[in-house]
Every structure is written in C-alpha cells, then in structure tokens.
Amino acid sequence: MAKYLLLKHYRGAPAAVNDVPMDQWTPEEISAHVQYMRDFADRLEKSGEFVDGQALAPGGAWVRYDGEGRPPVTDGPFAETKDVIAGWMVIDVDTCERAVELAGELSAAPGAGGKPIHEWLELRPFLSVPPTIAECH
C-alpha cells in the first residue's frame, strides 16, 4: 500500500467544468456536496483505503521562527494557503492507478445545480512512495 495526498484547491488549478464558487451555492447544494464527500470517505474506510481527510476553514496564517527569544513572525508577502487549499484527503492504495481513479471519482462531487464539479484535484504521493505520479500514467 502507498499513501497519496488529494488536495482540493480554491484557486490555482485549471477551472472546473461546473465553476460556480461555493459561496453562490444553495444550502441544499452545499449539503449534497458534503454528503458526497462523507459517502466517498466512508466507502474508502470500509475498503481500507481511507487514512484521513479534512475541509479547511478559510482563516489561517503563515508562521516562522524569528530567532532565539523572539516571537514567531506571522504572515508576509506570500501566497495565502488559506486562499488556495480548501481541504485534503489521504488515501492508502495498492497502485498509483488506483489513486488516479479515486481522485477522478472525488472530482465528480456535486456542486451548483447538483451537477458534478469536475474540479481538478492535486494528487501527490508521500515522499517515500515509488513510483511517481508521472510513472503511473
């Protein structure tokens, strides 16, 4: 088994087919989207392929060490991760092909109008995982 990270982005990836921002969805559309994600995770938990996953709140800050006895520095002239990363899921699968298959399935979560989003998800192998994504397709 090999672990992969599936990253959901707010921006930075190519536009999704159903590219309506979530803040313009109805409460029912948001509920359907969240339920799809829960059902997907539940199914992977039963198959032993789910490790963990979380949606992220929009707030956050960059923090770095600024020297002995000095308080940590927050924020700076960086791209805000809170504006980029919407959530993540870690899966543990037998093959890279299976990771690609699951990422494609997760991309079909419903959005505006109940239609699949077809969003782009970033699929990243954990550092210790051979083969690389490029080698599996």
Side-chain angles (χ1 to χ4, degrees):
M1 301 285 276
K3 289 185 178 135
Y4 291 85
L5 177 65
L6 299 168
L7 284 172
K8 293 176 66 69
H9 292 268
Y10 285 120
R11 61 183 177 155
V17 173
N18 185 0
D19 194 25
V20 177
M22 189 178 260
D23 63 0
Q24 296 175 21
W25 296 2
T26 66
E28 294 79 18
E29 290 166 344
I30 292 171
S31 293
H33 180 81
V34 170
Q35 190 61 52
Y36 182 97
M37 303 288 284
R38 285 185 182 140
D39 292 346
F40 181 82
D42 288 347
R43 188 168 46 82
L44 294 186
E45 193 165 16
K46 288 176 184 158
S47 71
E49 296 173 306
F50 179 79
V51 177
D52 196 12
Q54 296 292 322
L56 299 175
W62 286 87
V63 178
R64 74 155 203 235
Y65 173 75
D66 200 36
E68 190 65 39
R70 299 180 69 176
V73 175
T74 60
D75 280 329
F78 311 110
E80 295 285 350
T81 303
K82 61 190 173 199
D83 293 336
V84 179
I85 306 296
W88 53 270
M89 182 178 287
V90 176
I91 57 174
D92 196 358
V93 294
D94 288 328
T95 66
C96 182
E97 290 79 13
R98 176 68 174 153
V100 169
E101 175 187 345
L102 292 174
E105 188 176 329
L106 187 58
S107 167
K115 296 179 182 170
I117 299 173
H118 297 282
E119 69 183 324
W120 289 90
L121 298 174
E122 185 177 357
L123 178 62
R124 305 267 311 263
F126 278 39
L127 186 57
S128 62
V129 176
T132 67
I133 294 295
E135 294 170 341
C136 85
H137 46 33

